[in-house]
Amino acid sequence: MLSEKYLRMTQLSSSIGLAYRAALQRAAEIGGENVFDYSMGNPSVPAPEQFADAVVEIVRRTPHIELHSYCHSGGAPALREAIVADLNARFATQYCPEDIFIASGAAGAMAHALRAVVSPGEEVITFAPFFPEYAPYVDGAGGILKVVPANIDTFQINFEAFEQLICEKTAAVIIDSPNNPTGVVYTEQTLRRLAEILEAKQKQFGHPIYLLSDEPYREIVFSGFVVPCVPKYYTNTLVCYSFSKSLSIPGQRLGYIAVAEDCAGREHLLPMFSQISRFIGHDSTSVLIQLAAAKTIGQMADLSVYERNKNLLYPALLEMGYECVEPGGTFYLFPRSLEPDANAFCAKAQEENLFLVPGDTFGCKGHFRLSYCVPTEKVERSLDAFYRLIQHYQRRR
Amino acid sequence: MLSEKYLRMTQLSSSIGLAYRAALQRAAEIGGENVFDYSMGNPSVPAPEQFADAVVEIVRRTPHIELHSYCHSGGAPALREAIVADLNARFATQYCPEDIFIASGAAGAMAHALRAVVSPGEEVITFAPFFPEYAPYVDGAGGILKVVPANIDTFQINFEAFEQLICEKTAAVIIDSPNNPTGVVYTEQTLRRLAEILEAKQKQFGHPIYLLSDEPYREIVFSGFVVPCVPKYYTNTLVCYSFSKSLSIPGQRLGYIAVAEDCAGREHLLPMFSQISRFIGHDSTSVLIQLAAAKTIGQMADLSVYERNKNLLYPALLEMGYECVEPGGTFYLFPRSLEPDANAFCAKAQEENLFLVPGDTFGCKGHFRLSYCVPTEKVERSLDAFYRLIQHYQRRR
């Protein structure tokens, strides 16, 4: 008989998908140029040209056995070496290739990392607002997801609430900075405080608490902001990275887990990740893509459109009267909705052909997410709609 | 704390991996040319040239959004359409693109299919000898794997034992023809009988029993043998296919599930597969690889070396006195070991620089697997070693 678990999952619709499909439908009615679809976080910029060049060179010149045979379950050695060289040069870290596990995107990295460090019944803490896919990944590891309420004034960590939630059963803590959906970057101060608490709790409970740092947006950082290197602050860190944004190749499914130097259980983790791949039936991703990424590391897609869009949208929304914490990176804004029920607000916005996602999806009511990975001219033309929307609410007051 | 489950998995060593590493070590000592490594099933022939041409054309000409954006979780429409056109033309089936789910190899396909049709506590039946990775996939679905003992005279199904095992808790049955490790192809008669029993048991128990047909070797079929189209015999069939052998691209991780026409729960299965991807954190595979396969479908790697090797090895072994059921496809032979303990036999074989895998790994003692996806000259030069090995045992009698 069909599995109840997965059948039930098909019956829940994601509000991101709903907004996206509503935008598509409206586009069919009034023309795509008149619809402002801020629903999906789908990178919009081209991959660096070197990526295509690398693919062509590899497919033409690499011996069959090297290119097409089964890959080591940890990933292609060339890619693991290139990642380590890049990380160590940029962050003065001491990774070696055996610390890197190639995964299918940051999603695959996170799901693997959770299965490795969480046992059934243990707890995982994350911070609202958060990427909703953490829930199925934690479930897959048999863990229980606990969510620290948002600090809506800064979207830094609400430490008081965190200290109340952390307990003997806490196996892991997930952070996501630059953050989806707020765009906020955790400060050095936030990371220091977080590390202090985790160190103290590890001692108190007598077992490691792993910090899983989800970093798909690490390279989309705006002028004036710095993304600290998380493993420098806390030893038991697993960084989950994706090439989806830096190389703008989400469809190629490539990312990795980097196990920090001196991380507890370091010698076991890589072999465990390989066993997890066996268990779920999915090894990382295409060797061709891995080799192409190895040759392209250090290049970057032209991510400037995201900052250009942020520089246009963020001050314009503030000036109109929207309230929003300034994003330090990503291609998201997470303003307060103009009525307490963000779902009602987003429905209202659709009347202005603005397709937004209610914050409820990310565990933070009263806000909405705006994904501005769209052409800048679209952002410009959407400002009037945002203005009409706030005017509608101001008239009601 | 580290997950006990996956940590324990790292401590079990696969006998395939052990034989492979032993072969590598011997090669370092006496030179690779003197070592006959029959351990791994790693396709040895080049991908068809059209595959590289397709990759180059796609990476040069496909618009960024189409090539690099997130893919539909069911797979790239172009590939699903190409698969359906190919299947329907070859087998007069009636698949439509919505019946195809793109997975990372037959492994990913099988793991997904099991999660969809098996609920925790239900049973899955397979037939010895069998591909050992079914055990973790069934475990991942929360199911219990039951193994029908081998019919060692033909390696067709031992129906008597099967009828004793099948029960109300049976949710799915896995077949693998052409078979790894025997190379045997199930006859039409076998499939008819299997379908009859399954139909009767479905009626008796009042619920569907899914037939998961694992077909990575469907295209490696030797002269005189025909691989029947399984869904023609039984409606509730999910075919799990891989391009690893047909296009000889195992490193690119590409396969699919095909849901048969009129399969019970057909309308739910594809959305469930997508949810399973979410749950495990891994979407199918690279869009570039999917689009390249779409353009290459109908082409085939030159698989003739496998038949050439079989035609050399199989009669030669019989003539020396080995006992072996004739393989109808794949690149495996599964002869009886020359002493009851296949592990001891394979250790003895290593003294002749023959690296073989004991049948115990596949749930069938007293046999050994021989993967002849190696250059033909290697097969030729290995015959003396097989001869010395059997002489050793004959002298002992």
Side-chain angles (χ1 to χ4, degrees):
Chain A
M1 285 141 298
L2 300 185
S3 152
E4 273 304 316
K5 173 194 188 96
Y6 301 112
L7 191 57
R8 208 177 315 117
M9 283 175 76
T10 66
Q11 287 151 1
L12 306 168
S13 29
S14 118
S15 63
I16 301 173
L18 284 176
Y20 171 71
R21 283 189 295 275
L24 277 185
Q25 198 189 320
R26 185 68 54 85
E29 291 159 17
I30 63 169
E33 69 284 8
N34 300 312
V35 168
F36 307 111
D37 179 8
Y38 286 116
S39 64
M40 294 274 269
N42 208 341
S44 59
V45 302
E49 271 173 38
Q50 293 90 339
F51 185 80
D53 295 343
V55 165
V56 172
E57 196 191 322
I58 289 162
V59 86
R60 289 295 185 213
R61 299 209 185 155
T62 312
H64 168 78
I65 292 290
E66 201 181 323
L67 177 56
H68 288 306
S69 288
Y70 289 108
C71 186
H72 183 285
S73 58
L79 178 56
R80 297 165 80 184
E81 282 159 23
I83 289 167
V84 160
D86 179 65
L87 291 177
N88 292 350
R90 287 165 65 199
F91 305 111
T93 45
Q94 306 275 332
Y95 289 114
C96 60
E98 293 66 40
D99 301 326
I100 306 297
F101 179 85
I102 305 301
S104 41
M110 183 58 71
H112 259 65
L114 282 163
R115 283 178 186 263
V117 303
V118 178
S119 297
E122 291 184 339
E123 295 181 359
V124 177
I125 296 179
T126 196
F127 305 92
F130 67 99
F131 181 53
E133 298 304 285
Y134 297 154
Y137 306 158
V138 170
D139 186 20
I144 298 151
L145 185 64
K146 298 278 173 176
V147 180
V148 176
N151 175 347
I152 63 170
D153 295 331
T154 61
F155 293 125
Q156 300 291 318
I157 289 177
N158 178 340
F159 281 108
E160 205 174 312
F162 175 57
E163 289 189 281
Q164 278 167 12
L165 265 190
I166 194 166
C167 70
E168 179 130 28
K169 285 203 273 180
T170 307
V173 171
I174 304 174
I175 59 173
D176 173 26
S177 160
N179 181 263
N180 174 8
T182 66
V184 163
V185 173
Y186 281 174
T187 62
E188 213 183 326
Q189 199 188 351
T190 294
L191 290 174
R192 275 193 206 291
R193 178 96 189 270
L194 176 63
E196 271 168 28
I197 295 172
L198 289 175
E199 295 286 3
K201 293 295 178 182
Q202 288 193 136
K203 252 188 211 149
Q204 182 184 337
F205 302 138
H207 65 73
I209 300 173
Y210 289 92
L211 182 59
L212 309 190
S213 183
D214 188 18
E215 305 190 3
Y217 301 96
R218 129 153 311 280
E219 323 296 358
I220 313 184
V221 187
F222 304 146
S223 163
F225 290 87
V226 172
V227 179
C229 175
V230 177
K232 299 257 163 169
Y233 298 84
Y234 186 67
T235 305
N236 289 336
T237 296
L238 305 182
V239 170
C240 297
Y241 184 85
S242 169
F243 290 98
S244 295
K245 282 80 187 182
S246 53
L247 294 180
S248 210
I249 53 168
Q252 312 313 332
R253 315 304 311 128
L254 190 64
Y256 61 80
I257 308 173
V259 178
E261 216 187 327
D262 302 327
C263 179
R266 189 195 200 199
E267 70 282 14
H268 297 302
L269 284 164
L270 265 281
M272 287 175 74
F273 297 150
S274 293
Q275 292 301 321
I276 291 166
S277 295
R278 272 186 66 198
F279 182 76
I280 64 169
H282 296 261
D283 270 342
S284 59
T285 199
S286 151
V287 173
L288 172 57
I289 298 300
Q290 291 189 54
L291 297 181
K295 276 193 186 290
T296 321
I297 271 185
Q299 306 297 330
M300 201 74 83
D302 177 3
L303 305 172
S304 59
V305 61
Y306 304 132
E307 183 154 12
R308 204 154 57 240
N309 290 353
K310 177 249 172 178
N311 286 340
L312 219 148
L313 203 45
Y314 172 69
L317 291 180
L318 288 195
E319 200 178 331
M320 291 177 204
Y322 288 88
E323 289 175 81
C324 185
V325 177
E326 183 174 8
T330 76
F331 37 61
Y332 303 114
L333 280 176
F334 199 64
R336 295 198 189 168
S337 57
L338 299 173
E339 59 182 305
D341 179 352
N343 289 285
F345 169 78
C346 290
K348 188 77 206 159
Q350 290 194 9
E351 294 176 16
E352 300 293 347
N353 300 317
L354 290 168
F355 293 82
L356 311 168
V357 179
D360 307 51
T361 297
F362 309 96
C364 186
K365 291 170 188 285
H367 292 73
F368 64 95
R369 189 187 78 170
L370 207 160
S371 291
Y372 47 88
C373 41
V374 299
T376 304
E377 68 83 24
K378 263 279 169 92
V379 175
E380 281 166 347
R381 288 198 292 110
S382 74
L383 294 178
D384 275 353
F386 281 108
Y387 186 63
R388 285 193 303 272
L389 185 61
I390 197 167
Q391 276 200 316
H392 164 84
Y393 281 95
Q394 283 166 345
R395 274 198 309 269
R396 280 194 351 189
R397 267 173 212 158
Chain B
M1 285 141 300
L2 300 185
S3 153
E4 272 304 314
K5 175 195 188 94
Y6 301 111
L7 191 58
R8 206 176 318 116
M9 283 175 76
T10 66
Q11 286 151 2
L12 306 167
S13 27
S14 118
S15 63
I16 301 174
L18 283 178
Y20 172 70
R21 283 189 295 276
L24 278 185
Q25 198 188 320
R26 184 68 53 86
E29 292 160 16
I30 63 169
E33 69 285 6
N34 300 313
V35 169
F36 307 110
D37 179 8
Y38 286 115
S39 64
M40 295 274 269
N42 207 341
S44 59
V45 303
E49 270 173 40
Q50 293 90 339
F51 185 80
D53 295 343
V55 165
V56 172
E57 196 191 324
I58 290 161
V59 85
R60 290 294 185 213
R61 299 206 186 157
T62 311
H64 168 78
I65 292 289
E66 200 181 323
L67 177 57
H68 288 306
S69 287
Y70 288 109
C71 186
H72 183 287
S73 58
L79 178 56
R80 297 165 80 184
E81 282 158 23
I83 289 168
V84 160
D86 179 65
L87 290 177
N88 292 350
R90 287 166 64 199
F91 304 112
T93 44
Q94 307 274 331
Y95 289 113
C96 61
E98 293 67 38
D99 301 327
I100 306 297
F101 179 85
I102 306 301
S104 41
M110 183 57 71
H112 259 65
L114 283 164
R115 282 178 186 265
V117 303
V118 178
S119 297
E122 291 183 340
E123 295 181 358
V124 177
I125 296 178
T126 197
F127 304 92
F130 67 100
F131 181 53
E133 299 304 286
Y134 297 154
Y137 305 159
V138 170
D139 185 22
I144 298 151
L145 184 65
K146 298 277 173 177
V147 180
V148 176
N151 175 345
I152 63 171
D153 295 332
T154 62
F155 292 125
Q156 300 291 320
I157 289 176
N158 178 340
F159 282 107
E160 204 173 315
F162 175 57
E163 289 189 281
Q164 279 166 10
L165 266 190
I166 195 167
C167 70
E168 179 129 31
K169 286 203 273 177
T170 307
V173 171
I174 303 174
I175 59 173
D176 173 24
S177 160
N179 182 264
N180 173 9
T182 66
V184 163
V185 173
Y186 280 176
T187 62
E188 213 183 327
Q189 197 187 355
T190 295
L191 290 175
R192 277 195 205 291
R193 178 97 190 269
L194 176 63
E196 272 168 27
I197 296 171
L198 289 175
E199 295 286 4
K201 293 295 176 181
Q202 288 193 136
K203 252 189 211 148
Q204 182 184 340
F205 303 137
H207 64 73
I209 300 172
Y210 289 92
L211 181 59
L212 309 190
S213 183
D214 188 18
E215 304 189 2
Y217 301 95
R218 128 152 315 280
E219 323 297 359
I220 311 182
V221 187
F222 304 145
S223 163
F225 290 87
V226 173
V227 179
C229 175
V230 177
K232 299 258 164 170
Y233 298 84
Y234 186 67
T235 305
N236 290 337
T237 296
L238 305 181
V239 170
C240 297
Y241 184 84
S242 169
F243 290 98
S244 295
K245 281 80 187 181
S246 54
L247 295 180
S248 210
I249 52 167
Q252 312 313 332
R253 313 308 308 131
L254 191 63
Y256 61 80
I257 309 173
V259 178
E261 216 187 326
D262 303 325
C263 179
R266 190 194 198 201
E267 71 282 15
H268 297 301
L269 283 165
L270 264 281
M272 287 174 74
F273 297 150
S274 293
Q275 292 301 319
I276 292 166
S277 294
R278 271 187 68 199
F279 181 76
I280 64 168
H282 296 260
D283 270 342
S284 59
T285 198
S286 152
V287 173
L288 171 58
I289 298 300
Q290 291 189 53
L291 298 181
K295 275 192 186 289
T296 319
I297 270 185
Q299 306 297 331
M300 202 73 83
D302 177 3
L303 305 171
S304 59
V305 62
Y306 304 133
E307 183 154 12
R308 204 156 55 239
N309 289 353
K310 177 248 171 179
N311 285 341
L312 219 148
L313 204 44
Y314 172 68
L317 291 180
L318 288 194
E319 200 177 330
M320 291 178 204
Y322 288 87
E323 289 174 80
C324 185
V325 177
E326 184 175 7
T330 76
F331 37 62
Y332 302 115
L333 280 174
F334 199 64
R336 295 198 190 169
S337 56
L338 299 174
E339 58 182 306
D341 178 353
N343 289 285
F345 170 78
C346 290
K348 188 78 207 160
Q350 290 194 8
E351 294 176 16
E352 300 294 347
N353 300 318
L354 290 168
F355 292 83
L356 312 168
V357 179
D360 307 52
T361 297
F362 308 97
C364 187
K365 292 172 189 285
H367 293 74
F368 63 97
R369 189 186 79 170
L370 207 160
S371 291
Y372 47 90
C373 42
V374 299
T376 304
E377 68 83 24
K378 262 277 169 95
V379 175
E380 281 166 348
R381 288 198 293 111
S382 75
L383 294 178
D384 275 352
F386 280 108
Y387 186 63
R388 282 193 302 272
L389 185 59
I390 196 167
Q391 278 201 314
H392 164 83
Y393 281 95
Q394 284 166 344
R395 274 198 306 270
R396 279 194 351 188
R397 266 172 212 157

